[in-house]
């Protein structure tokens, strides 16, 4: 059981004292005891031992759960020596003399005639320095220091049965100033009387609220709300408004009207208890933490909030009706009847019984007044019997959590940690994280794999991967596995690392179970544990497990079933859940480390998640520490990704490939071994690519792709296809690897292999082209030509060396490597086309490479001569050697277009037409061709048919002055008819074109004049000389926003009207826009119509002409 509190008797009446204790009041270091004789005794409570040897809150106690009680007949009890704990005194022998010399309490004073009857209840109002007491069925007020009566009894309190006080800081609605308001609520049968103290001054006003029946218990729920317990149920009373509201809830307490409880008709209006001669159990009330209250009647309970609304929570499992209930942070208390004399300590969250303290004859509980700021301030409380007062001291919270963990009550420990404030524990975050991880390990051993992994993966836990993987066999966790294998050699008791295997006992198992996380990857340090070891968890690690509790048996050490490896079904289920944990761990790791580069991400100072909080920690570390942390994080990433790979291979092999397509830290040796073992070579290639182990991947692809027959182990890798795709993905920096492994693909399938260099991708386009050309030269010239054509034509590479090399390769192949035929014709056609389009190759070198006397290369020679500007020599080849007059004409057309690429305007063509064939002082290209036809050099003879054809087609480009001199006299004029027709038609077209231009210019002039005189006719547009504006009495100036009246006005180009005095400002606002054309400004006086006319003389004025007149119409 838990040792949350220890009982220490501080007051015990002597045997000769016949008095009985009726009530007590504890505040500060004073303890007031009310006796049945009406006397009041005032005690001072002494601190007996220093914190290191006593058991106050936040002390260093490690007391067992069983609590002894001093003999009530002892005259002067010494708690340091008379409270045996497991047969031994709590204090050390050295502390005994000092403790014996000092009593736990000293009697300071006894007020014998404080009351004439027994003092049933005591309370204090510190702000008013007032002591409140209930005695002789009346309320009395006494001075807290002198105990002299102030008002005894208090008026209107006759037959009072109970009272309750409260003090709160409340903001005054009128002034907005906070003040302390104390209230006293007194129960007088059905009446509830209320007194108030404002800033220590008692108000004369008394509020009275009458309920439906007699009130038995009351408790303040808030500053203005009080709960009253009656036989029929509970009500919430608002002391400010006087409203009364029934508390309605499920079960036997506060049920709906007419509802049936477990022991009779109960509800908001009636709560009877059948049997036992009509006995009605006393309704009990207790205010818990976080604005929650507990209502109890008999063994029935109801939890509500401070607004009186029921809270969904099960019944407290009491075996018998308690005598009193209460709350001491953070536990719920229930005192059994004096016959049993025991105090139950329960968790208000789980309602589990955590401690049972034997207190013979205990009859009442007393709690110190709560404080608003610190709910845990008065966590100690007192238990009262007729003869003894026990002070209940809370043990250290860290030791309480330690006890719960030892006994295997992880849920209780987690619940208590959630209720405790951070300041009360040495390291709440780390302790809570450790307890949750222990619970997750327990769930895993119970085969609750999903719940276990969800807990490991919680935001507050983020368990280190090393710790989680210890739960799995080597097939999943590798060397991190903490599961013993069946095939281990047990004869020599040695592990795989050569160290002796220590036999597991409950003691060693407890140490292993409750130790803090092992030093594993940087993930644990960086995210959750990059700090000093917690002494609390260290103490947990070194302690044995408790033998108490039902849950302890599940963690005392692994049973024979737990030590044996999991069967296949359980292992498959656990590995499937492990995948989710590892995936979550990968996500968290990637928040702090870049998976691509393996470097820490830039640190931010944002607060929020655990990772962001620890990023700020790195700013104070040295560079060396940052590098070490980076290495540890990389090692943790390697553990996580490798384990995830093993888990995928075991549970879902198809998902393994998806892991390789993203940046990962998998161990290459482990992946290689497992994938080769399962013949999953496709995934192995993807993994090598992701890890940038390209040579290993390409070796594997060549191994399975180069043979003639596919391998049964990897039939999809046969052929060069996968290798080509792989090489296309490599960056240009790996040109050596690309060239090395592309050779066998080119020899296997040159068309497919060339895709490495010809693909439309950035990698292929940025390869070192000179190295690729040199490489392809050693394989096949045809491949080199194909690559050169690609980089020149597609990539627009203007490197002269590449152009010269391509010409050279073309001619080399045409000379000898390719026989004449269709392939040869295609090749010579490619050469001629390249010679025409390229301007980067050396003309002289190309001309020297082309055979002079080979008729097959005549056209290539002509193209080179043309590029050299030797048009006559080129035309001689077409006319005399090739006798291809159509190509000669096409050649002339191409040259003429290149010379006439800039098309002149019609007027320019008219003026320059007479000399268009003598541009630059040279005859046109057509004149050169015509001269070769008509006046060829010997031994060639004139050729009239193509000459006449040329004259008929291009006569307009051959002027008569230069053309007729070439025509021999023997040629008939009739043969020149087409030539003359063309010349005449050309001259007529020029004349007609000139006429059309002149007509268009006249039309434009008329349109401009019409626009100037008449306007465009569009509303709001240009009005021409007919533009006018109308001025009425209501029209305002656009500048000064005053009425125009009969002032001198000016009309702006946009038809707005302003005062003449405002014209300068209007012009400045218009940005200097002038009234060009019909946009003049008219100036006039008076109302009516102003006509603004812009004449030709003022077309270029800034605002046009303006004038003045006394008429209604102004014209300028």
């Amino acid at each position: 059981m838990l040792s949350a509190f220890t009982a220490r008797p501080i007051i015990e009446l002597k045997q000769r004292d016949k008095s009985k204790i009726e009530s007590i009041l504890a505040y500060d270091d004073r303890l007031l005891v009310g006796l049945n004789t009406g006397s009041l005794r005032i005690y001072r409570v002494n601190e007996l031992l220093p914190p290191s040897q006593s058991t106050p809150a936040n002390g260093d106690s490690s007391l067992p759960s069983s609590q002894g009680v001093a003999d009530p007949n002892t005259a002067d009890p010494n708690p340091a020596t008379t409270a045996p704990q497991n047969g031994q005194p709590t204090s050390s022998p050295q502390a005994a003399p000092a403790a014996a010399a000092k009593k736990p309490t000293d009697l300071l004073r006894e007020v014998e005639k404080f009351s004439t009857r027994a003092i049933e209840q005591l309370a204090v109002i510190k702000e008013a320095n007032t002591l409140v007491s209930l005695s002789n069925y009346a309320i009395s007020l006494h001075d807290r220091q002198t105990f002299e009566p102030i008002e005894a009894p208090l008026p209107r309190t006759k037959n009072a049965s109970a009272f309750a006080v409260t003090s709160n800081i409340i903001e005054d609605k009128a002034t907005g100033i906070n003040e302390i308001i104390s209230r006293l609520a007194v129960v007088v049968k059905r009446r509830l009387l209320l007194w108030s103290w404002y800033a220590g001054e008692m108000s004369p006003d008394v509020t009275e609220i009458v309920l439906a029946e007699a009130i038995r218990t009351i408790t303040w729920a808030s500053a203005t709300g009080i709960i009253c317990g009656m036989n029929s149920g509970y009500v919430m009373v608002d002391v400010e408004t006087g409203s009364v509201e029934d508390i309605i809830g499920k079960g036997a307490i506060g049920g709906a009207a007419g509802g049936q409880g477990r022991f009779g008709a109960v509800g908001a209006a009636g709560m009877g208890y059948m049997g036992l001669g009509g006995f009605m159990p006393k309704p009990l009330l207790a205010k818990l933490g976080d604005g929650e209250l507990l209502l109890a009647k008999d063994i029935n309970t109801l939890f509500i909030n401070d607004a009186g609304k029921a809270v969904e929570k099960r019944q407290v499992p009491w075996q018998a009706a308690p005598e009193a209930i209460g709350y001491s942070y953070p536990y719920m208390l229930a005192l059994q009847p004096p016959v049993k004399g025991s105090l139950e300590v329960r968790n208000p969250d789980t309602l589990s019984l955590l401690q049972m303290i034997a207190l013979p004859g205990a009859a009442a509980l007393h709690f110190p007044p709560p404080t608003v700021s610190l709910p845990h301030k008065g966590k100690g409380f007192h238990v009262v019997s007729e003869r003894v007062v026990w002070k209940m001291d809370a043990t250290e919270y860290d030791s309480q959590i330690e006890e719960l963990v030892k006994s295997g009550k992880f849920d209780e420990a987690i619940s208590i940690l959630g209720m405790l404030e951070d300041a009360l524990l040495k390291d709440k975050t780390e302790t809570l994280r450790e307890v949750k991880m222990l619970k997750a390990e327990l769930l895993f051993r119970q085969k609750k794999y999903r719940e276990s992994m969800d807990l490991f993966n919680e935001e507050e836990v983020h368990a280190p991967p090393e710790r989680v993987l210890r739960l799995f066999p080597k097939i999943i966790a590798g060397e991190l596995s903490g599961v013993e294998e069946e095939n281990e050699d047990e004869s020599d008791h040695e592990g795989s690392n050569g160290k002796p295997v220590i036999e597991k006992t409950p003691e060693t198992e407890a140490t292993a179970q409750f130790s803090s996380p092992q030093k594993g990857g940087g993930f644990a340090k960086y995210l959750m544990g990059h700090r000093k070891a917690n002494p609390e968890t260290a103490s947990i690690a070194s302690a044995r497990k408790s033998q108490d509790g039902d849950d302890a048996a599940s963690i005392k050490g692994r049973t024979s079933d737990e030590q044996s490896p999991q069967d296949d079904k359980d292992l498959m289920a656990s590995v499937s859940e492990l995948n989710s944990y590892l995936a979550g761990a990968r996500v968290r790791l990637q928040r702090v480390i870049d998976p691509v580069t393996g470097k820490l991400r830039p640190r931010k100072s944002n607060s929020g998640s655990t990772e962001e909080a620890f990023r700020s920690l790195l700013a104070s570390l040295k560079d060396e520490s940052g590098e070490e942390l980076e290495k540890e994080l990389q090692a943790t990433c390697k553990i996580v990704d490798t384990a995830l790979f093993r888990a995928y291979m075991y549970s879902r092999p198809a998902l393994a490939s998806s892991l390789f397509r993203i940046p990962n830290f998998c161990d290459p040796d482990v992946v290689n071994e497992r994938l080769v073992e399962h013949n999953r070579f496709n995934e192995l290639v993807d993994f090598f690519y992701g890890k940038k182990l390209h040579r290993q991947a390409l070796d594997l692809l060549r191994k399975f792709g180069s043979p003639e027959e596919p391998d049964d182990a990897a039939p999809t890798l046969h052929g060069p296809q996968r290798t080509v795709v792989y090489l296309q993905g490599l960056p240009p920096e790996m040109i050596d690897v690309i060239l090395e492994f592309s050779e066998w693909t080119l020899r296997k399938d040159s068309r497919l292999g060339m895709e490495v260099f010809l693909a439309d991708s950035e990698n292929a386009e940025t390869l070192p082209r000179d190295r690729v050309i040199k490489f392809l030269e050693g394989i096949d010239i045809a491949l080199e030509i194909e690559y050169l054509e690609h980089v020149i034509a597609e990539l627009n590479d203007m490197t002269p060396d590449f152009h010269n090399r391509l010409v050279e390769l073309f001619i080399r192949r045409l000379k000898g490597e390719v026989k004449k035929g269709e392939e040869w014709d295609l090749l010579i056609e490619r050469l001629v086309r390249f010679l025409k389009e390229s301007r980067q190759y050396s003309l002289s070198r190309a001309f020297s490479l082309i055979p002079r006397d080979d008729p097959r290369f005549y056209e290539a020679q002509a193209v080179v001569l043309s590029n050299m500007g030797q048009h006559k020599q080129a035309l001689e080849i077409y006319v005399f050697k090739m006798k291809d007059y159509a190509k000669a004409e096409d050649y002339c057309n191409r040259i003429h277009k290149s010379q006439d690429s800039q098309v002149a305007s019609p007027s320019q063509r008219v003026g320059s037409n007479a000399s268009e064939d003598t541009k630059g002082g040279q005859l046109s290209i057509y004149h050169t061709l015509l001269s070769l036809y008509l006046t060829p050099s010997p031994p060639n003879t004139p050729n009239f048919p193509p000459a006449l054809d040329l004259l008929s087609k291009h006569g307009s480009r051959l002027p008569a002055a230069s053309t007729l001199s070439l025509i021999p006299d023997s040629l008939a004029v009739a043969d020149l008819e087409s030539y003359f027709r063309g010349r005449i038609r050309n001259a007529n077209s020029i004349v007609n074109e000139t006429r059309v231009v002149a007509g268009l210019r006249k039309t434009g002039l008329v349109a401009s004049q019409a626009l100037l005189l008449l306007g465009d006719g569009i509303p709001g547009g240009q009005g021409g000389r007919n533009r006018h504006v109308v001025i009425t009495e209501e029209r305002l100036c656009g500048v000064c926003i005053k009425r125009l009246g009969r002032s001198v006005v000016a009309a702006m180009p946009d038809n707005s009207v302003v005062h003449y005095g405002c014209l300068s400002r209007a012009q400045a606002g218009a940005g200097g826009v002038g009234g060009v054309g019909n946009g003049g400004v008219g100036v006039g006086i008076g109302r009516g119509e102003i006509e603004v006319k812009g004449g030709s003389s003022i077309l270029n004025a800034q605002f046009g002409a303006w004038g003045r007149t006394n008429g209604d119409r102004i014209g300028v």
Side-chain angles (χ1 to χ4, degrees):
M1 298 289 287
L2 175 67
S3 297
F5 299 96
T6 56
R8 179 164 62 95
I10 58 174
I11 296 177
E12 186 172 5
L13 301 182
K14 297 180 180 179
Q15 293 183 353
R16 62 177 177 269
D17 191 348
K18 303 304 180 182
S19 303
K20 294 182 181 179
I21 300 174
E22 292 290 338
S23 61
I24 67 170
L25 172 63
Y27 62 91
D28 299 334
D29 62 342
R30 295 292 187 267
L31 182 64
L32 279 61
V33 178
L35 304 180
N36 64 337
T37 61
S39 298
L40 179 67
R41 293 179 181 176
I42 298 93
Y43 292 87
R44 180 180 63 225
V45 180
N46 301 318
E47 290 293 338
L48 295 182
L49 295 175
S52 60
Q53 297 179 359
S54 63
T55 59
N58 288 338
D60 233 354
S61 172
S62 58
L63 293 175
S65 59
S66 60
Q67 305 297 329
V69 181
D71 186 0
N73 298 322
T74 303
D76 189 10
N78 185 359
T81 57
T82 60
Q85 306 295 333
N86 293 337
Q88 297 180 356
T90 48
S91 64
S92 62
Q94 293 80 359
K102 193 173 185 179
K103 298 179 181 180
T105 57
D106 292 328
L107 179 61
L108 301 179
R109 180 181 176 185
E110 181 174 358
V111 184
E112 295 183 353
K113 295 182 180 180
F114 186 81
S115 177
T116 59
R117 303 286 295 271
I119 304 174
E120 300 177 12
Q121 188 177 353
L122 292 170
V124 65
I125 302 176
K126 285 187 177 182
E127 294 74 21
N129 198 29
T130 301
L131 178 66
V132 185
S133 63
L134 171 62
S135 179
N136 196 19
Y137 302 104
I139 303 298
S140 300
L141 302 181
H142 293 75
D143 186 271
R144 186 167 66 99
Q145 302 295 335
T146 63
F147 303 102
E148 295 295 330
I150 299 175
E151 290 192 52
L154 190 65
R156 303 176 61 179
T157 60
K158 186 178 180 180
N159 294 324
S161 58
F163 72 87
V165 298
T166 183
S167 296
N168 300 276
I169 300 176
I170 301 177
E171 181 180 351
D172 191 338
K173 297 180 179 179
T175 62
I177 301 175
N178 292 333
E179 60 178 345
I180 298 178
I181 299 178
S182 303
R183 288 188 171 95
L184 169 64
V186 180
V187 174
V188 181
K189 296 184 180 179
R190 293 170 49 197
R191 295 180 299 155
L192 184 65
L193 303 177
L194 299 166
W195 283 265
S196 300
W197 281 261
Y198 296 91
E201 297 294 332
M202 184 176 180
S203 174
D205 299 331
V206 181
T207 304
E208 179 177 341
I209 301 174
V210 181
L211 302 185
E213 58 178 296
I215 305 171
R216 300 189 63 181
T217 55
I218 58 173
T219 296
W220 286 97
S222 61
T224 59
I226 189 169
I227 298 179
C228 301
M230 303 173 292
N231 290 335
S232 61
Y234 295 86
V235 295
M236 172 70 78
V237 179
D238 191 319
V239 299
E240 290 186 341
T241 62
S243 61
V244 180
E245 182 180 356
D246 293 333
I247 295 177
I248 301 175
K250 297 181 180 179
I253 296 179
Q260 289 289 331
R262 287 192 284 174
F263 298 101
V266 294
M271 182 175 178
Y273 190 94
M274 307 304 296
L276 300 181
F279 169 74
M280 298 297 292
K282 181 180 179 181
L284 303 178
L285 301 169
K287 189 172 182 179
L288 308 180
D290 297 330
E292 194 175 35
L293 292 95
L294 172 63
L295 313 181
K297 192 170 186 181
D298 197 52
I299 61 172
N300 303 318
T301 59
L302 175 66
F303 290 88
I304 63 172
N305 56 25
D306 53 10
K309 305 301 179 181
V311 177
E312 290 293 336
K313 190 175 288 189
R314 64 187 180 91
Q315 296 273 332
V316 179
W318 285 323
Q319 298 300 323
E323 183 73 12
I325 59 175
Y327 175 80
S328 181
Y329 183 85
Y331 299 105
M332 184 175 65
L333 308 171
L335 182 64
Q336 297 298 327
V339 178
K340 296 184 178 181
S342 61
L343 178 67
E344 293 184 0
V345 180
R346 292 182 181 271
N347 184 342
D349 186 20
T350 63
L351 305 181
S352 302
L353 179 62
L354 301 179
Q355 185 180 9
M356 180 77 75
I357 304 175
L359 300 170
L365 299 174
H366 172 73
F367 300 93
T371 60
V372 178
S373 58
L374 296 175
H376 57 80
K377 178 71 175 178
K379 55 190 174 184
F381 63 99
H382 297 80
V383 182
V384 183
S385 69
E386 291 183 349
R387 308 286 298 178
V388 183
V389 176
W390 289 277
K391 183 177 181 181
M392 308 302 295
D393 294 323
T395 60
E396 184 186 14
Y397 290 122
D398 287 299
S399 63
Q400 295 181 30
I401 301 301
E402 178 183 346
E403 280 192 71
L404 292 172
V405 171
K406 287 180 182 178
S407 59
K409 297 180 178 180
F410 301 127
D411 288 328
E412 300 298 333
I414 294 171
S415 176
I416 298 299
L417 283 169
M419 291 185 289
L420 292 175
E421 296 183 5
D422 295 352
L424 302 178
L425 296 165
K426 296 177 181 177
D427 191 347
K428 176 180 176 180
T429 302
E430 185 62 27
T431 303
L432 179 60
R433 175 173 178 258
E434 176 66 21
V435 174
K436 286 188 175 182
M437 286 192 289
L438 293 173
K439 179 186 176 182
E441 292 176 358
L442 176 61
L443 291 172
F444 187 89
R445 289 192 292 273
Q446 294 174 350
K447 299 183 179 180
K448 298 178 181 180
Y449 303 121
R450 173 166 295 182
E451 293 86 347
S452 174
M453 292 302 153
D454 289 344
L455 192 54
F456 275 131
N457 217 15
E458 275 190 4
E459 189 71 20
E460 296 82 6
V461 179
H462 289 171
E466 298 88 343
R467 183 162 183 171
V468 178
L469 293 176
R470 282 189 319 197
L471 305 173
F472 291 85
K474 288 186 177 180
I475 190 174
I476 302 299
E479 298 300 327
L480 296 175
S481 173
V483 179
E484 297 180 357
E485 302 288 346
E486 291 182 348
N487 58 355
E488 288 185 353
D489 186 5
E490 299 178 356
S491 61
D492 54 0
H493 296 278
E494 289 187 356
S496 59
N497 56 0
K499 296 182 180 180
V501 178
I502 300 175
E503 183 178 358
K504 291 189 177 181
T505 64
E507 187 171 302
T508 59
E509 181 67 18
T511 302
Q513 291 284 331
F514 305 127
S515 62
S516 58
Q518 293 181 352
K519 182 178 186 258
F523 178 71
K525 275 188 175 183
Y526 185 63
L527 298 186
M528 297 302 301
H530 198 64
R531 62 187 79 176
K532 293 183 179 180
N534 184 10
E536 181 58 29
T537 55
S539 65
I540 294 176
S542 60
R544 289 190 179 185
K545 291 185 180 180
S546 172
Q547 302 299 320
D548 300 330
D550 298 335
D551 296 337
S554 63
I555 62 170
K556 284 183 180 179
R558 296 178 183 171
T559 62
S560 58
D561 294 338
E562 290 173 334
Q563 290 177 347
S564 61
Q566 297 172 299
D567 56 28
D568 292 341
K569 183 177 180 181
D570 288 338
L571 182 58
M572 179 64 73
S574 63
V575 171
S576 298
E577 300 302 331
L578 176 66
N579 292 340
S580 62
Y581 164 78
L582 293 175
R586 289 191 86 250
V587 173
R588 291 193 298 273
L589 282 167
Q590 290 177 8
R591 296 176 191 170
V592 295
I593 190 169
D594 191 344
V596 179
T597 62
K599 302 294 182 181
L600 289 175
R601 294 186 183 274
R603 297 183 288 274
K604 300 179 180 178
S605 59
N606 297 335
S607 59
S609 64
T610 305
E611 295 86 351
E612 291 173 339
F614 277 94
R615 284 188 186 130
S616 59
L617 177 64
L618 293 179
S620 60
L621 298 178
K622 297 181 179 179
D623 294 339
E624 293 78 11
S625 299
E627 293 177 0
E628 292 176 2
L629 180 59
E630 185 176 287
K631 292 180 180 178
E632 291 183 3
L633 285 172
Q634 291 174 356
T636 303
C637 290
K638 183 176 181 180
I639 291 173
V640 171
D641 286 353
T642 304
L644 185 59
F645 162 73
R646 288 192 176 111
Y648 280 158
M649 289 300 296
Y650 185 85
S651 60
R652 298 179 179 178
L655 295 179
S657 59
S658 63
L659 181 62
F660 303 147
R661 297 189 186 101
I662 59 178
N664 62 82
F665 293 86
C666 294
D667 189 344
D669 297 334
V670 174
V671 175
N672 189 19
E673 178 183 354
R674 296 296 298 275
L675 292 180
V676 170
E677 179 183 350
H678 291 80
N679 290 335
R680 303 187 73 87
F681 296 101
N682 279 305
E683 289 84 351
L684 184 57
V685 171
D686 292 337
F687 171 73
F688 283 146
Y689 181 81
K691 300 298 289 184
K692 296 184 174 17
L693 300 175
H694 303 301
R695 187 171 293 277
Q696 292 87 326
L698 291 169
D699 283 334
L700 187 66
L701 291 173
R702 180 166 57 184
K703 173 183 176 182
F704 291 102
S706 57
E708 296 297 331
E709 297 296 330
D711 194 325
D712 295 337
T716 58
L717 299 183
H718 182 258
Q721 178 66 37
R722 281 297 303 273
T723 303
V724 169
V725 174
Y726 193 100
L727 291 173
Q728 287 176 341
L730 297 183
E733 294 78 13
M734 304 195 66
I735 184 62
D736 295 329
V737 177
I738 295 173
L739 297 181
E740 177 183 351
F741 289 93
S742 62
E743 181 177 357
W744 77 268
T745 63
L746 291 171
R747 300 189 186 280
K748 186 84 173 178
D749 187 344
S750 60
R751 182 190 60 80
L752 187 59
M754 282 300 293
E755 289 298 320
V756 176
F757 311 106
L758 305 181
D760 186 12
S761 64
E762 183 178 358
N763 288 339
E765 294 176 1
T766 54
L767 289 173
R769 294 167 186 173
D770 53 345
R771 295 198 58 183
V772 175
I773 292 172
K774 186 176 181 181
F775 167 73
L776 294 175
E777 180 185 3
I779 297 179
D780 191 353
I781 294 179
L783 301 179
E784 185 181 1
I785 292 175
E786 184 179 2
Y787 181 73
L788 284 170
E789 286 185 302
H790 172 72
V791 298
I792 293 173
E794 301 294 335
L795 306 183
N796 198 26
D797 193 320
M798 296 300 171
T799 305
D801 292 341
F802 294 164
H803 291 250
N804 291 329
R805 178 64 179 171
L806 181 56
V807 173
E808 180 182 353
L809 293 177
F810 272 133
I811 296 174
R812 183 192 301 180
R813 292 208 68 197
L814 290 170
K815 282 183 177 180
E817 296 184 6
V818 179
K819 296 181 179 180
K820 191 171 184 180
E822 183 178 356
E823 183 181 357
W824 196 96
D825 294 338
L826 292 175
L827 193 59
I828 190 65
E829 183 180 350
R830 289 160 58 188
L831 171 61
V832 172
R833 183 171 60 252
F834 176 74
L835 292 174
K836 290 179 180 179
E837 296 173 355
S838 175
R839 293 294 183 268
Q840 302 300 321
Y841 62 89
S842 175
L843 298 175
S844 59
R845 183 179 178 184
F847 190 74
S848 63
L849 292 174
I850 298 175
R852 302 290 180 85
D853 301 328
D854 192 339
R856 298 176 299 178
F857 291 93
Y858 283 160
E859 187 173 3
Q861 292 181 27
V863 173
V864 175
L865 289 172
S866 174
N867 291 336
M868 296 171 67
Q870 305 294 329
H871 301 300
K872 184 173 182 180
Q873 289 84 338
L875 289 173
E876 287 178 351
I877 294 176
Y878 285 118
V879 173
F880 301 126
K881 293 183 177 181
M882 298 177 61
K883 299 187 182 300
D884 193 337
Y885 310 119
K887 287 186 177 181
E889 184 179 353
D890 292 338
Y891 178 83
C892 292
N893 293 336
R894 186 172 69 253
I895 299 301
H896 180 76
K897 288 181 180 180
S898 65
Q899 293 176 350
D900 257 0
S901 57
Q902 186 68 30
V903 179
S905 62
S907 59
Q908 291 174 330
R909 288 202 300 268
V910 171
S912 61
N913 185 66
S915 58
E916 68 172 347
D917 64 326
T918 60
K919 294 174 182 178
Q922 296 180 358
L923 297 175
S924 68
I925 189 65
Y926 296 102
H927 189 280
T928 303
L929 179 58
L930 183 62
S931 63
L932 292 178
Y933 285 149
L934 298 179
T935 58
S937 60
N940 300 307
T941 59
N943 194 347
F944 295 109
L948 294 176
D949 184 63
L950 181 65
L951 288 171
S952 64
K953 292 180 179 179
H954 303 283
S956 61
R957 297 169 183 170
L958 293 170
S962 58
T963 303
L964 295 177
S965 62
L966 297 176
I967 299 175
D969 298 336
S970 58
L971 190 62
V973 176
D975 296 334
L976 298 176
E977 180 182 0
S978 59
Y979 167 70
F980 291 122
R981 286 179 181 272
R983 292 299 303 173
I984 295 171
R985 188 180 298 111
N986 181 57
N988 291 335
S989 63
I990 293 174
V991 173
N992 293 334
E993 184 177 2
T994 303
R995 292 175 179 174
V996 170
V997 171
L1000 291 175
R1001 288 182 176 177
K1002 289 181 180 180
T1003 303
L1005 177 61
V1006 172
S1008 299
Q1009 291 176 345
L1011 181 63
L1012 177 62
L1013 297 176
L1014 303 177
D1016 54 10
I1018 299 175
Q1022 297 181 2
R1025 292 191 173 183
N1026 293 327
R1027 187 167 68 93
H1028 61 275
V1029 294
V1030 178
I1031 298 176
T1032 61
E1033 293 182 355
E1034 293 81 10
R1035 188 153 186 173
L1036 304 177
C1037 173
V1039 177
C1040 64
I1041 317 299
K1042 295 180 180 179
R1043 289 200 307 172
L1044 296 174
R1046 301 190 60 82
S1047 303
V1048 180
V1049 297
M1052 302 297 292
D1054 58 353
N1055 289 340
S1056 62
V1057 182
V1058 298
H1059 290 113
Y1060 180 73
C1062 299
L1063 180 60
S1064 59
R1065 284 190 289 169
Q1067 294 173 355
V1073 178
V1076 179
N1078 62 347
V1081 176
V1083 180
I1085 301 176
R1087 299 187 304 272
E1089 186 179 29
I1090 297 177
E1091 182 178 0
V1092 182
K1093 297 183 179 180
S1096 59
S1097 61
I1098 48 96
L1099 284 176
N1100 296 324
Q1102 183 179 6
F1103 279 88
W1106 53 273
R1108 173 185 294 178
T1109 182
N1110 291 327
D1112 289 340
R1113 188 177 184 89
I1114 300 175
V1116 181

